Amino acid sequence: MTKIYTLCKGTFPVLLLSLVASCNNPQAQSPATPELPNIVVIYLDDLGYGDVSAYGATEISTPHMDRLAHGGVRFTNGYASSATCTPSRYALLTGMYPWRNKEAKILPGTAPLVIDTAQLTLAKLLKSKGYHTGVVGKWHLGLGSGEVNWNEQIAPGPNQVGFDYSYIMAATQDRVPTVYIENGFVAGLDPKDPIQVDYEQNFEGEPTGKDNPELLRMPWHHGHNNSIVNGIPRIGFMKGGKAAQWKDEQMADHFLSKAQAYVKAYKEEPFFLYYALQQPHVPRTPHPRFVGRSGMGPRGDVILEADWCIGAFVQTLEEEGLLENTLIIFSSDNGPVLNDGYYDEAVEKLGEHKPSGPLRGGKYSLFEAGTRVPFVTYWQGQIEPKVSQALVCQLDLLSSLASLVGSEQQAQDSQDLLEVFLGKSEEGRAQLVIEATSRTAFREGDWVMIPPYEGPAVSEQVNIELGNAEDYQLYNLEEDLGQQHNLAEAHPQKLEEMIQHFQQIRGEANEGIEALELK
Ligand code: NG6
Ligand code: CA
């Protein structure tokens, strides 16, 4: 009976008509009908390669992330497409390298949608195969097409690029508007208190982080000195919408409850849920029950909080009997950062913890820790636990999942690595272009080449090595994972070959691209 049920479930509604008949017929258990699993992408914000105990963290314990990592394929060469959020998310959803779209860079909360509504997306693709599609959590891909009126329907947004359901924050936790948006409408908005948002100018009479330090419970270090919401200074100015403003400490539970509700609502259909948690991005605001739990201050505490959320979410799948029919992909949008603009003791209380693990750099960096992130595929009963060294990128999920659900659609830069993601092959990508604040570098085999870039070697603001240097850099990651030995001079032929292969994909490096100013 269960078998017939899942068979019918998996193909709904594409083959609905023919299946109505076969579902009613107990003899009709045709193995020819492929089953479509639910697909969940659990995506963290700024979680580093070394922030997960399954990836070697010893000072912090993440049992729920570990459960996925140890029970599925744990990729050690799994990459986000970029060392910052918007470009990585753009690539995840479109299967296109983010540097092909000059708008795909860290966006203000008022930026227009960077995905063309005519463009193929993972959500659209799965929807075309009968999936119900949902996104819960951080969006940060822009909304609207210019001027957004936050008091009316906000479109285009997730619902116009393939998501049937969306419950999102527009940009980041540190950017206004600090409200949730459900299917294009600000949740809980009181029409008598309309929202206004501006990234250039303050609204008259409104306090700011810069001018009113006495109102702050979390001081700013760099940036983050505009409007104050819940005692936290943000990027951008906002007025009104008081009843709709989120409570930072409750955000994790709030998104979790929406993700759980989504699963319960659509469990009868194959569903695709993009569950984009906000941790451990700044401002780090653990719920009181997690405060002090890590001994590392808020950054460690919100990692434990995120881990708990993942556990609770997976438990929901389990309780609903969905775990064996759900492919879970767990990853992060970019590498770690400690001080990303607020004084929150992330640096002072770090102790022996190494958010980047054995890798060099961090968020914003062209060195490995910028883009190499925890990356796990888990599917109970279908994926055998293993560690894979195959080179994979979030970019590849689109074409790989297309293959899983029997779609012919592929995206330009996305490789079909389904067998690798299912743990049946070690043949990953041969090459990958990585991006960090509009600069790009190139990995091929065990080698990585970083072209020369102007700008500081170490960012003064975030204290991270960015990968900028006057000369080409060439590293062999097999021998030198920590990128300590630049082999560019010792291996001129290899360097030349890497530059050529890089340019074949990338075009003339950096042509027309302005790198983001990081001090
Ligand atoms: C930077 C912010 C940083 C963070 C980042 C986006 C400043 C000085 N810094 O501009 O705090 O918000 O943008 O992070 O404002 S991301 O993970 O969404 O890419
Ligand atoms: Ca991020």
Side-chain angles (χ1 to χ4, degrees):
M1 192 59 215
T2 325
K3 194 169 177 201
I4 300 173
Y5 163 72
T6 49
L7 212 80
C8 294
K9 169 187 186 300
T11 44
F12 179 89
V14 181
L15 300 173
L16 185 62
L17 289 179
S18 59
L19 277 164
V20 169
S22 60
C23 284
N24 290 334
N25 175 0
Q27 262 110 56
Q29 294 192 19
S30 161
T33 317
E35 192 182 309
L36 297 179
N38 306 310
I39 299 170
V40 176
V41 174
I42 300 178
Y43 208 52
L44 278 88
D45 193 359
D46 298 2
L47 186 76
Y49 190 89
D51 278 325
V52 179
S53 33
Y55 277 83
T58 51
E59 307 304 299
I60 198 164
S61 174
T62 53
H64 302 292
M65 299 179 196
D66 295 357
R67 174 185 175 186
L68 301 178
H70 293 314
V73 186
R74 181 171 74 82
F75 290 96
T76 56
N77 284 277
Y79 287 78
S81 303
S82 168
T84 61
C85 167
T86 301
S88 282
R89 284 161 206 257
Y90 178 82
L92 170 77
L93 290 183
T94 66
M96 244 176 80
Y97 274 128
W99 43 263
R100 294 198 196 279
N101 179 350
K102 283 186 194 143
E103 304 307 319
K105 57 190 179 202
I106 301 177
L107 297 176
T110 45
L113 181 67
V114 290
I115 301 175
D116 194 315
T117 51
Q119 208 173 334
L120 178 65
T121 66
L122 184 51
K124 271 190 199 169
L125 182 148
L126 293 172
K127 196 166 144 76
S128 76
K129 283 299 192 179
Y131 277 74
H132 194 280
T133 54
V135 51
V136 171
K138 175 175 176 174
W139 180 243
H140 210 188
L141 288 162
L143 292 169
S145 33
E147 286 286 292
V148 169
N149 181 342
W150 302 91
N151 306 289
E152 295 174 356
Q153 186 180 14
I154 302 158
N159 297 62
Q160 286 69 40
V161 294
F163 289 99
D164 295 311
Y165 175 75
S166 64
Y167 194 95
I168 57 166
M169 65 164 145
T172 58
Q173 202 184 329
D174 52 352
R175 283 174 174 76
V176 300
T178 49
V179 293
Y180 301 117
I181 301 166
E182 183 165 31
N183 293 324
F185 291 90
V186 170
L189 181 66
D190 174 359
K192 291 198 283 305
D193 181 24
I195 297 181
Q196 289 171 276
V197 180
D198 196 315
Y199 269 70
E200 303 291 320
Q201 263 190 336
N202 193 18
F203 299 95
E204 218 185 307
E206 294 294 304
T208 64
K210 196 161 175 227
D211 296 334
N212 304 84
E214 75 283 359
L215 299 179
L216 303 181
R217 65 181 165 106
M218 193 187 285
W220 54 277
H221 176 268
H222 56 270
H224 306 96
N225 57 18
N226 301 154
S227 286
I228 304 170
V229 182
N230 303 330
I232 302 172
R234 317 277 168 159
I235 307 173
F237 303 99
M238 174 177 168
K239 188 180 177 181
K242 285 272 182 300
Q245 286 175 6
W246 66 50
K247 301 275 173 288
D248 292 271
E249 282 72 14
Q250 289 165 18
M251 185 178 280
D253 286 345
H254 194 68
F255 281 144
L256 170 65
S257 69
K258 297 293 172 189
Q260 289 169 319
Y262 178 83
V263 165
K264 288 180 187 170
Y266 298 105
K267 64 185 176 187
E268 304 297 337
E269 307 176 39
F271 62 80
F272 164 56
L273 175 62
Y274 171 33
Y275 176 25
L277 287 79
Q278 88 282 11
Q279 305 105 325
H281 194 283
V282 296
R284 298 159 183 140
T285 52
H287 186 275
R289 67 188 191 280
F290 291 98
V291 171
R293 283 265 295 269
S294 68
M296 270 178 216
R299 184 172 188 278
D301 295 346
V302 298
I303 292 176
L304 297 187
E305 179 186 65
D307 186 65
W308 179 87
C309 289
I310 292 170
F313 177 77
V314 171
Q315 193 181 336
T316 299
L317 292 175
E318 204 159 23
E319 283 166 3
E320 297 296 335
L322 299 170
L323 214 43
E324 297 199 340
N325 194 31
T326 303
L327 167 62
I328 301 175
I329 296 144
F330 160 72
S331 199
S332 172
D333 68 342
N334 53 252
V337 54
L338 295 174
N339 179 343
D340 205 12
Y342 295 98
Y343 288 100
D344 68 357
E345 301 187 301
V347 175
E348 294 79 359
K349 291 198 167 169
L350 186 65
E352 296 300 304
H353 180 55
K354 295 189 171 49
S356 298
L359 310 176
R360 187 171 177 183
K363 182 174 179 176
Y364 310 110
S365 179
L366 275 177
F367 288 125
E368 286 296 287
T371 46
R372 204 196 288 212
V373 286
F375 198 143
V376 168
T377 52
Y378 177 94
W379 185 355
Q380 194 167 298
Q382 297 289 332
I383 291 182
E384 295 281 328
K386 79 178 232 189
V387 178
S388 174
Q389 289 173 6
L391 177 57
V392 295
C393 181
Q394 291 161 8
L395 193 58
D396 302 319
L397 289 171
L398 188 140
S399 294
S400 305
L401 294 175
S403 169
L404 175 71
V405 302
S407 165
E408 303 282 296
Q409 291 189 289
Q410 304 266 303
Q412 185 179 1
D413 302 311
S414 179
Q415 294 188 7
D416 176 1
L417 302 178
L418 180 63
E419 295 295 295
V420 182
F421 286 127
L422 295 181
K424 293 177 184 155
S425 162
E426 277 289 308
E427 235 175 277
R429 287 182 157 261
Q431 306 166 313
L432 176 68
V433 176
I434 54 170
E435 189 258 6
T437 60
S438 300
R439 301 159 301 148
T440 45
F442 183 58
R443 173 154 181 193
E444 186 168 55
D446 292 330
W447 295 85
V448 69
M449 180 279 293
I450 306 177
Y453 288 103
E454 285 175 13
V458 179
S459 158
E460 231 177 79
Q461 290 180 339
V462 294
N463 193 24
I464 288 173
E465 290 186 292
L466 300 172
N468 296 327
E470 277 176 20
D471 297 317
Y472 278 96
Q473 298 176 70
L474 181 69
Y475 299 98
N476 184 306
L477 298 171
E478 173 68 21
E479 289 161 10
D480 178 25
L481 183 59
Q483 298 179 292
Q484 295 300 311
H485 307 288
N486 181 2
L487 302 178
E489 271 183 37
H491 292 265
Q493 268 172 352
K494 187 74 200 170
L495 178 65
E496 194 50 41
E497 179 189 306
M498 294 286 284
I499 294 171
Q500 266 182 27
H501 293 178
F502 172 61
Q503 285 181 353
Q504 277 162 16
I505 304 173
R506 181 71 182 83
E508 281 299 309
N510 310 322
E511 198 184 353
I513 300 281
E514 277 171 46
L516 178 104
E517 276 270 326
L518 258 189
K519 288 188 214 106

